[in-house]
């Protein structure tokens, strides 16, 4: 059976493939039997399906998971619907192409995690190593799929890892040009600077942010990152200057009070972290805007840049 | 013997009384004997004295303590000096009038501490009570003499208590007008909101701030207050919403990012805390400026207000 | 007959009660006879009615008045309509519950007026007393129902009195904590500070603001308040410093040029007035926003605060 | 006898001429006799003189007046002093060249006053004429010598008239290009817009501003101008729209709240007044700065412009 | 035949007259024959017409031209349409009243051009004359119809000339009041200051701006004006100070970095140019807003002024 | 003879070595003979010397050159002076250590120039190559020693090359992380972005900036860079999009109007250039501030950063 994207589906087509459960709700049909009403999506669109005769004891499947479905496309009240014949939740080892379902980072999360761990291996400063590992442990599995933002930059599955590892590359380039910087301090700052976002936003495994958390709104990821770091330090018994330096790097990485940092960066590694962060965010935003704009034309106004973006003809 | 202030001293006068050691340094005289060179102050001025034949094993007295001295005023190289005949550090029970030596809060620290404790007694919310007591314990004895600032408002011995208890009065007035406010939450916020200043500034027992600390400069008292609060919560096992509400009150009490709060107050008690804080600070600044200005005249420009202040004739 | 709110009305119900005339227009029916088309409201909704055979000589009733109506609810073109059998304008003494018809201040205007008069009684400064009474006289009856704003805070019937009397309570609390403030000056400032609003906005007796006046837009209530105060002073022959002090308090009570005060508060009573004003406005806005938000949730962004507001779970 | 400026005086020279009394104080000499110690100035410098044997009953002459002195220059304690032989205060008709004594407007005050009066003659709108005349009457004689500022622009004797008449020329030019503007309204606005300065600053007859007044600091010339205008209107019985239009023009002529106008100009004549005002002020500042700077060079930073000014070579 | 505006047209009317082609597109009818679908406009509205049996070889007429049409008004699908019997593009000499078709400057472009040329004749400085003429030559014919803006001020056919010549009048008025200004420099600055707009915006011969150009968005008219000026200077061999003075006047004429001028005006002629420019723009905006507002009423908020505008009753 | 720095010199010492002529002036001694009064400096201090019997025909040596002197240190009026026995201007090949005389970039200018040329060799885009070479040719020899600023960052001999080559390294690192960027465009932007500074500031061969030029003050290096680029383009016949892209990169590289860029960066390479520029400037400033501050301490407030800088103890 050929493979289609959702936007290619037409009446009477046969379909088999992996889609994402965007929402799923258990309901009762006119005879009182349970069924599940689901909206399934890939990056191109959304289609509804019903699964009849649902086990009254079983809950509806959780949103945010890939599902394998087979069936026929039908039209009902002018809208397409998938009549499902067979389905199961995707299992480990299934050939699910997540990038076809939602925007994903260009590299695999496992590969990016490995890169962070290799970087940690090379640390010479034990305190910084211990604190950074502790922060990664607190973040746990969620780091694998967490996005870096709801909309701004790296709003994609594993976007937080994408942003972090690109920043690691930038930082390593900087360390060659400015060898007087403290290597471990800068790299530790890069790795932990946005981990607080995991408690600031609610995101599912597809990298989709549905809302901000209570703590995210009342404190923000900078301050929650700092209290987490203190918890790690207390647990691990770290009391040296490295702790307050990392606290300051977390607090100051937005650069100015206007952007949420009550203190500006006050030593070189904090300053470097701030610029690396903004540079990677901006390059990501610029790429997204340029990709959507034909060569020789200007984009609409990009909200986070407060300007229109030009796609040079020369580059194409 | 009559009692004089430092600015009243003249050549050949006999003097006996309590002064404050502003600085004290051990030196060697021309014959190689040790002596101590001290500058003694009260609120009206400063006079130098030497104490000869100092025990070579003993350190110079620490600055910031009251000392009792007896001696004769002499002139040396055109400046007055006290030739000391007898001296000792002030002991508990001595009739030292601290307010004659440095600017002091108008009430006794013990009385203000008692007021805070009485307020705590009346708390119904156990979590808020435990957290607030924990924060006071961390502050410890230093709270008794700590000023609220280096220069701005309540820059005086026990200024932090002065500011806190005046704010408690304001808060209690508010609770009558807006009885829907959560009483314990607001009062807890008032009591702990500035305790982080104790780790932000270096001050001696006279309430004199000599500098900001490393942590004070890198993090500020808002964020250090929050990490202290987390430490207390972990120790006491407090995990309910009261913790994050107090964290937010600490973080937002300066009102705007421009003034150091990355989050604005987001619930009514946080909002109230912010305005109570600014109102008490401003009334203190206004009083100080008005007291220094003759009726019917304008002060110089007051730095923290960015304006001149008028002393109405009508009021005098 | 049972009492219903407008949103409870259904076809065929009998209704008798007091409603508010939101609008009333005289028209001609198909036979050329006059009738009046009225929209009647309470706080829950709006219903249309026609009163047939209107006296051609009589004007339609003025909007903004309570009316007593009796009739039956009918449906016409899918919308409910009241077929009126009997009606009359509400008269003094009628048991009209204004608070059921429009948002009202929590206290009776007469009670609040009395409080202001009692405060005035206690003034020792004759000039301040005369000026304040003169300003209240200029405001006249309108003060009884005037709101404090179109939308921001205290946008309710008698909201201006509500705001003013809550501020009086705050001011009296302050005078206990800062007894060096000039009592009469501060209280006079509180009473007159917003009276200019009565000439700045057009409001009907229900406290509903329909527009700003020409003078309101060209000058604002601060400046119009000052010219009114000068007129009072000239009439009463007041020439002392109290006049210019009150002028300054009117001019500076918004605190900063950005918010409409070309001069910042330059003496302590003016400074106190500014903070009391902002504190009461903010507490009112906070209460309104919190009341509309379920416990544990965040409100939408509140325009006048430029932020979302949290309703703590702990408080409920 | 030749005529000298103060900076040309040398020991033993004979001097006769008009100087300005900058300060004059009555004192007693070593024998107990009264004398007057005066500092006399022209635009080039200052010299001290004593007038011995002063009548004990007579006050010292008032500062700010021209005086005719004759005497010899002497040296006393290394500084030059004038030994006065004969003196009298300048009388009407004396050939005093005020411009040699202090900076003066380039035209005679009488001539400028006449121009304003001629302009008033041509008014067709009676209300505007009456209000403008009333404002000029309130200003009275002081308008003849009053400067427009302490330091900024037109800080010179009769500077207020200089500024006003140059603005009248600008306004008349505008009326030709934009003939739809209301002529009388614009011209009335020009004439009265800065009259409030006469109550805002303390200036002597030489155009020297020594200080701001209490009302000037608490209210400013915009608001005091408006209250004066109301007083005039009440006296003259003017109640039409012209009054509120002029009030608005006074209030808005600084253009933005940041520069002291709580309302921006809201009709065309108010807008025109604002730009005419700023244009004349700036051209005056530019001329002063350029005159002090050699061709082909840059001035120091000009405070009121926040920039350096270039004197083009081409222009010289 | 009587003359109608588009908004006066009704079914069955005969029409003959000049209209503007707003858009014209070649299409095929149901039989496969070519026809042209056009929208024709005057200032009052728009009407559609089809011209059947179009020559398949011929292109559709270009938008932005006047066309003469004769035909009958019909209704099709509820909208009016013109059934065209005869048409031709307007030719030179036709009595086309452009001002009836689009907003036009109040004077003829030829007359305004002549005024500029007469002004140039009177220049004494050869370099300034040569540079200004060169800039006009670069602008060429487009200057005749180019508007000054898309929406802000002088958004009309020949608006750029209208703005420039009104500014010339203002400048000449200024030169009488401030005769020390360099006449030729100021006038040259006025003439060339906005010529860069011709390369910044895309406009058709009706003065309608459809978009900004690539260079307009990437550089703006200030900088493109400067590079054009340099090109002229190189061609004409001008190397004196006049070149850099004019460059600075172009660069600084928006006054502040916030409004696009990286340098503020640094000599008097540049300062004058800036204020003349803003004054003329504002008076035009004020007139447009006032004309649309009834006397005694306020306009909606005017975007470019960020305020509502009042139309005084007194003026009408 | 041993080698001394200027601050090590003492009375009666013999000195021989290379110093820098800071200033040199020809004067006449009491007998009417010519001599030259020179101030000689290295990085540690300044010493005066006179060279007697100067050839009346010869000019004084130009400031900014190294000179070889031999002589004895003497004291005259309490200040040290060098009595010169022999001297000559330094010649090519002399072992002059410029870095001992003034702050210098850490690498040789020739080496940095070579790196730029090698980069240019690798360009594939001919237009960009031609434009960049043309800009370097305009800069000429001065590029070798020109500083990047008077005080801010890279205020050192060859500082402009230092800044440019460090930015090239950053850019090349970026191109690996974001390979979709146009390599030649970004590198060309880096090379030419600050070349306009050579006409903006007056600097001597030691990298010392004495003043800003007329064009620098009236136009700035962004705009002068653009006009130079246009001149090059016209000469070389470059008319493609590369020209306007480079113009935009010059214009926008300060990022915001507040910092002198009337347009923000509007494509990705312009955005990258801006952040690379700011990052290198800031890292240089941070290094300078940290180097001057002891470990564990805070610097004074750094003007260009508007904050104090901390030197971590951990790093030392």
């Amino acid at each position: 059976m050929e493979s289609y994207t959702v936007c290619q589906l037409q009446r009477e087509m046969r379909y088999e493939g992996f889609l994402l459960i965007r929402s799923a709700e258990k309901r009762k049909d006119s005879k009182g039997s349970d069924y599940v009403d689901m909206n399934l999506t890939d990056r191109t669109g959304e289609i509804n399906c019903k699964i009849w005769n649902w086990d009254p004891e079983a809950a509806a499947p959780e949103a945010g998971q890939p599902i394998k479905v087979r069936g026929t496309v039908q039209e009902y009240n002018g809208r397409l619907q998938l009549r499902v014949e067979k389905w199961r939740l995707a299992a480990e080892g299934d050939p699910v192409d997540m990038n076809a379902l939602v925007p994903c980072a260009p590299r695999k999360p496992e590969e990016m995690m490995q890169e962070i761990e290799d970087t940690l291996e090379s640390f010479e400063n034990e305190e910084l190593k211990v604190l950074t590992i502790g922060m990664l442990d607190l973040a746990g599995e969620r780091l694998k799929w967490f996005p870096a933002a709801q909309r701004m930059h790296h709003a994609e599955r594993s976007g937080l890892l994408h942003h972090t590892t690109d920043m690691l590359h930038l930082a390593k380039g900087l360390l060659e040009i400015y060898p007087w910087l403290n290597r471990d301090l800068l790299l530790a700052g890069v790795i932990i600077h946005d981990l607080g976002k995991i408690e600031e936003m609610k995101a599912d495994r597809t990298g989709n942010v549905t809302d901000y958390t209570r703590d995210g709104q009342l404190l923000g990821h900078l301050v929650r990152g700092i209290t987490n770091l203190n918890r790690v330090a207390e647990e691990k018994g770290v009391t040296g200057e490295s702790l307050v330096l990392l606290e300051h790097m977390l607090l100051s990485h937005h650069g100015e009070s206007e952007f949420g940092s009550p203190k500006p960066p006050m030593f070189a590694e904090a300053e470097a972290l701030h610029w690396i962060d903004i540079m990677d965010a901006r390059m990501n935003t610029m790429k997204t805007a340029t990709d959507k704009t034909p060569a020789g034309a200007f984009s609409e106004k990009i909200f986070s840049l407060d300007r229109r973006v030009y796609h040079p003809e020369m580059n194409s």
Side-chain angles (χ1 to χ4, degrees), chain A residues 3-6 15-21 40-43 65-70 82 87-98 100-102:
Chain A
S3 172
Y4 302 104
T5 61
V6 170
Y15 177 82
E16 175 167 2
F18 292 94
L19 291 172
L20 196 73
I21 304 175
L40 305 180
T41 60
D42 66 5
R43 290 180 72 171
Q65 308 180 81
I67 186 175
K68 186 167 192 186
V69 285
R70 189 206 294 164
L82 191 65
W87 70 273
R88 65 173 172 79
L89 293 178
E92 194 131 333
D94 269 343
V96 180
D97 176 8
M98 279 304 287
L101 303 183
V102 286

Side-chain angles (χ1 to χ4, degrees), chain A residues 135 138-139 142-143 145-156 159-161 163-164 167 190-204 208-217 219-226 228 250 253-254 259 277-278 280-281:
Chain A
M135 288 296 276
L138 267 188
R142 291 167 299 175
L143 179 53
W145 71 77
F146 226 82
Q150 184 166 28
R151 262 187 304 265
M152 306 286 280
H153 64 93
H154 299 93
E156 61 190 12
L160 189 47
L161 275 178
H163 179 43
T164 303
M167 283 176 65
V190 167
I191 295 171
I192 70 173
H193 84 288
D194 265 353
L195 290 180
K197 284 188 171 176
I198 291 177
E199 295 181 35
E200 190 183 36
M201 304 183 291
K202 296 175 191 162
D204 63 28
N208 184 46
V209 173
T210 53
D211 202 356
Y212 278 73
T213 64
R214 182 194 63 186
D215 288 21
Q217 298 206 71
L219 299 177
H221 69 277
L222 275 57
V223 170
R224 189 44 89 223
I226 289 172
N228 281 345
L250 286 176
H253 83 266
H254 284 187
F259 302 116
D277 185 28
I278 203 170
D280 187 55

